Structures are given as structure tokens and as C-alpha cells.
Amino acid sequence: NPDNDAVGDLATESQLTDSTFLRSVYVGLTLITIALVILRSALFVKIAMAASASLHDGLLAGVLRAPVNLYHDVTPTGRVLNRFSKDLDHVDTNLPDTLVQVLQNMFSILAILSICVVTTPFVLLTFIPIFILFFKIQTYFRKTSREVKRLEGVSRSTYVSRFSEMIVGLGVVRAFGRTTRELQRHFEALDFNGNKWLLYWLLARWLAVRLDALANFVVLSVGMLAVGLTDAGA
């Protein structure tokens, strides 16, 4: 039948047109997303570099203007070097990435919570105890990790200071035959710092295990409520 063939051709052409339109929309959204990600990354890098330069300049100006008898005579050289090396390296490399991850995770959590509340409002009853547990875990972890990180920084300053002093007085150390003893002291300080660094990462694993347990409990609660409400409605 010619009429049926014409209708079929029109339907096929309409489907092809819709498919082409949807592909074009998908490609356009993908290109927009890529452009926004590149723009966000460039802007964030620029802001991070400006903040790092400002922090370095302020730190350098503070050290240069510090009184000799109250700061330079009582502060080990390794501690000053540690501030300009390891601490600034954390500010330049770790903090920007951490901030990006925090923002991304925050928006993801808000989106997930919104979807859960819209689909299953009763899930809010399970969020209350989870938030309380999360706040207690976070408070305990922050207090402990802050002190461990402080000990790690102090111990790092110790071996950096000893190493710099040993390099400066290398001739005296060799003259008195104290090379082996000084190396042993340096390795002991290095091991002490490594222990504190390992303890800090063990604390991070401790936090990760508990956060994963809370996340699994959220998934279990949402699934059980969804199944229960579906059965009740049925």
C-alpha cells in the first residue's frame, strides 16, 4: 500500500531526525562541560598561584624582619627550612587539590541527599543518627590527627636541622672521628619522623574505614526503606 509506505518513511525520517537532534544536544553539552572544566581549572590554578606567592612573600618578610635574639638565635635552622620547603609544598600541591575535591564532593552529596529525600522522605530519619556519628568521628579524628601532624612536622625539622648542621661542620666531624655516630643520630631522627608519618596515614585509614561503614549504612537504609515502602504500597 503506497499510503502505508509513505507513513512508514515519514516515521523513519522523524526517528532519524530526533536521533540526530539528541546526538547534537549530547555533543553540545559535552563540549560545554569540557570548556567549563578547562576554565575552572585555569582560574583555580591562577588563584592558587597568587595565594601561594602571597603566602611565601609574607613568610619571607616575617623571617627577615624577625629579631635575631628572639627568633633566629632560638629557632633551629631546620625548622625554618621546613617552613619554606615541605610546608609550602603542601600549600602549593595538596591544598588546591583538596579544595577541589571538597567542593566536588559537597555538591555530589547535596545532589544525592536531594534525590534520596525527594524519592524517599523517610530516609531523613536515618540521616539524623548518621550525621551525629559523623560529627563525633570527625571531631575525634581532627584532634588526634592535628597533634600527630604537629609531631611529624617537629620531628622533620629535627632531622633537617641536624643534617644541615652536619654538612656545615663536616670537617670537624671527620677530624674527631664522629662520622658514624652522627650518621646514626641522623638515621634515628629520620626513623622517628617516619614513625610519625606512618601513624598519620594509619589515622587516615582509620577514618576511611568508618566513613565507608557509614556510607554503606546509608545505602542499606535507603534500599530497605524503598523496598518496605514499595511492599506497603503494593
Side-chain angles (χ1 to χ4, degrees):
N1 191 348
D3 295 335
N4 293 334
D5 294 339
V7 172
D9 293 339
L10 289 176
T12 303
E13 185 178 355
S14 177
Q15 291 177 357
L16 291 175
T17 303
D18 293 340
S19 178
T20 303
F21 174 74
L22 292 177
R23 284 197 298 267
S24 301
V25 172
Y26 180 78
V27 171
L29 291 176
T30 303
L31 294 176
I32 292 174
T33 302
I34 294 174
L36 290 177
V37 169
I38 294 175
L39 180 62
R40 183 203 64 180
S41 301
L43 182 62
F44 198 82
V45 168
K46 184 178 180 180
I47 294 175
M49 290 179 61
S52 176
S54 177
L55 181 62
H56 177 271
D57 295 342
L59 180 62
L60 180 61
V63 171
L64 294 178
R65 295 172 183 173
V68 176
N69 58 340
L70 297 178
Y71 181 79
H72 292 282
D73 289 344
V74 298
T75 303
T77 306
R79 186 172 300 177
V80 178
L81 293 176
N82 187 28
R83 296 295 177 269
F84 282 95
S85 57
K86 187 67 175 181
D87 291 346
L88 281 180
D89 177 67
H90 279 300
V91 173
D92 294 340
T93 58
N94 294 342
L95 284 183
D97 293 337
T98 302
L99 182 57
V100 171
Q101 293 178 5
V102 167
L103 293 176
Q104 291 178 348
N105 293 333
M106 182 179 66
F107 287 113
S108 299
I109 291 173
L110 290 176
I112 293 172
L113 292 179
S114 301
I115 294 173
C116 291
V117 171
V118 171
T119 56
T120 311
F122 292 100
V123 78
L124 288 175
L125 298 177
T126 63
F127 285 166
I128 296 175
I130 290 175
F131 284 148
I132 295 175
L133 287 175
F134 175 78
F135 180 76
K136 290 184 177 180
I137 293 173
Q138 180 251 1
T139 302
Y140 183 79
F141 172 77
R142 286 182 61 186
K143 291 181 180 179
T144 308
S145 62
R146 181 170 58 244
E147 295 300 322
V148 173
K149 193 64 177 177
R150 182 183 62 82
L151 291 175
E152 193 269 336
V154 172
S155 61
R156 189 190 326 117
S157 300
T158 301
Y159 80 77
V160 170
S161 178
R162 285 183 177 178
F163 182 77
S164 61
E165 292 173 357
M166 184 172 61
I167 293 298
V168 173
L170 187 59
V172 179
V173 172
R174 289 177 176 177
F176 285 90
R178 303 285 295 180
T179 304
T180 304
R181 175 56 183 165
E182 291 300 323
L183 285 176
Q184 183 180 358
R185 291 180 59 190
H186 175 72
F187 290 145
E188 289 175 354
L190 191 61
D191 291 338
F192 185 76
N193 174 256
N195 291 334
K196 299 299 176 290
W197 181 84
L198 178 61
L199 182 59
Y200 178 78
W201 283 106
L202 289 176
L203 286 173
R205 294 301 92 200
W206 178 90
L207 178 64
V209 169
R210 280 148 182 82
L211 292 181
D212 289 341
L214 290 178
N216 293 330
F217 181 74
V218 171
V219 175
L220 177 63
S221 301
V222 173
M224 293 181 63
L225 285 173
V227 173
L229 293 175
T230 302
D231 294 338

